[in-house]
Amino acid sequence: MTVTRNYVGGPAAGIERPAQDRGRGRATTYLALLALAITLLGAASGLGAALIWPKTYGARAEILYSPSQAQQGGDPLALDPQLSTQLVILKSPTVLGPIAQKQGRQFDDLNNDISVQILDNSDVIQVEAHGPTKAAAMQTLQAVMGSYLALAAQPTGAARDLATQLMDAHTNTSQLQTRVQQLTTAVLAKTATQASLNDARATLTASQDQEKAIQASIDQLNLTGQTGPNAQSLTQPYALPGPVFPQPLIAAGIGALVGAIPAGAVVALTVLRRTKPQGPK
């Protein structure tokens, strides 16, 4: 009995399919290698740019900003605006202006080299300064810290007003004491009346009471920590170990990402061209 075998497409079709499959495999490998080469070229370009680009170094310090005793007993959320205000002050012309003038720089240029942030919802403010060298970054940071802490140490408006009132009251008391002494001598000499001396003594007592009251108000401000912002240096300025910009690994990653975009486009166009149906010949 003879068995007849039918080949679809004839004997030549069975030979062509493996050849086509091998061709497609080589094309896929070529496209993968091409995409990898473009991506690696982008990564190498980013790494090379990072190695030759001018380095920027950084220095950091932390500031502890504590609320006053009166504020600690209040709403905790009230601290957020206070901390945000300190961030604004740190980058304000009041703090940075004299430093920029001393360094011969524009305020905006120096402002761009200073960054401030609150660490992890705490009362700690991190200050970072950048410069072309570690020494320059440290010098700028130390100047910023010194300027801010000097400003923070100044008394508040209420404390200044009370200090002025106390000085005036003390001057008035001293004058009244001199007046009482003069009247006492005059009464003994029969050139002044006892009534005038009594009036002067009463006025002196009132002035002394006023002086004591003002001093008590100042002591209360000192006790509750309201004489000025409670800001103090938590850590001394320290230099970061390596440059903050550019960072070679990050630059290489960005270069690889940038290279992957045209690589993907080339692969997509090539695949689209190969899979696009051909018109009748």
Side-chain angles (χ1 to χ4, degrees):
M1 182 176 180
T2 303
V3 179
T4 304
R5 296 181 180 179
N6 296 323
Y7 293 93
V8 179
I15 298 175
E16 278 185 15
R17 275 195 193 130
Q20 291 177 354
D21 292 341
R22 286 193 299 271
R24 290 176 181 175
R26 285 193 296 270
T28 301
T29 302
Y30 168 76
L31 290 177
L33 292 176
L34 177 61
L36 179 61
I38 296 175
T39 302
L40 291 177
L41 179 62
S45 299
L47 180 60
L51 293 177
I52 65 175
W53 197 267
K55 303 292 189 298
T56 298
Y57 295 89
R60 285 180 185 166
E62 282 75 40
I63 296 171
L64 177 62
Y65 181 86
S66 301
S68 65
Q69 294 180 11
Q71 292 165 342
Q72 286 176 350
D75 185 2
L77 297 178
L79 286 180
D80 293 342
Q82 296 177 36
L83 285 170
S84 300
T85 300
Q86 301 309 306
L87 300 186
V88 174
I89 292 175
L90 273 161
K91 289 175 67 69
S92 68
T94 303
V95 173
L96 300 184
I99 301 173
Q101 184 176 8
K102 185 176 181 179
Q103 294 183 353
R105 305 172 60 183
Q106 295 294 326
F107 169 78
D108 291 338
D109 182 32
L110 176 60
N111 190 47
N112 291 333
D113 281 343
I114 305 298
S115 62
V116 293
Q117 63 174 335
I118 301 171
L119 297 181
D120 300 328
N121 297 321
S122 66
D123 298 336
V124 177
I125 301 174
Q126 183 183 83
V127 186
E128 183 172 320
H130 296 160
T133 64
K134 289 184 179 181
M138 282 286 291
Q139 183 180 7
T140 299
L141 179 60
Q142 289 170 345
V144 172
M145 292 288 289
S147 179
Y148 168 74
L149 292 176
L151 179 63
Q154 296 180 3
T156 61
R160 288 194 300 268
D161 291 342
L162 287 173
T164 301
Q165 294 177 24
L166 181 61
M167 184 180 300
D168 293 341
H170 181 71
T171 301
N172 187 50
T173 298
S174 298
Q175 293 174 350
L176 287 172
Q177 287 173 339
T178 302
R179 178 61 177 166
V180 167
Q181 291 174 356
Q182 293 173 346
L183 286 173
T184 300
T185 303
V187 168
L188 292 175
K190 305 297 184 177
T191 57
T193 62
Q194 184 65 40
S196 62
L197 177 58
N198 293 339
D199 290 342
R201 286 173 175 172
T203 305
L204 174 60
T205 301
S207 180
Q208 290 173 335
D209 291 341
Q210 182 184 15
E211 191 174 348
K212 292 177 182 178
I214 296 173
Q215 184 62 57
S217 298
I218 294 176
D219 293 340
Q220 182 66 22
L221 286 181
N222 291 331
L223 181 63
T224 57
Q226 299 181 48
T227 55
N230 294 332
Q232 58 182 337
S233 177
L234 185 62
T235 61
Q236 294 298 320
Y238 58 93
L240 299 179
V244 296
F245 180 84
Q247 297 183 2
L249 293 180
I250 295 179
I254 295 175
L257 180 62
V258 172
I261 296 175
V266 170
V267 171
L269 289 175
T270 304
V271 171
L272 181 63
R273 181 178 300 176
R274 288 180 177 274
T275 57
K276 184 177 180 180
Q278 299 293 330
K281 297 181 179 179

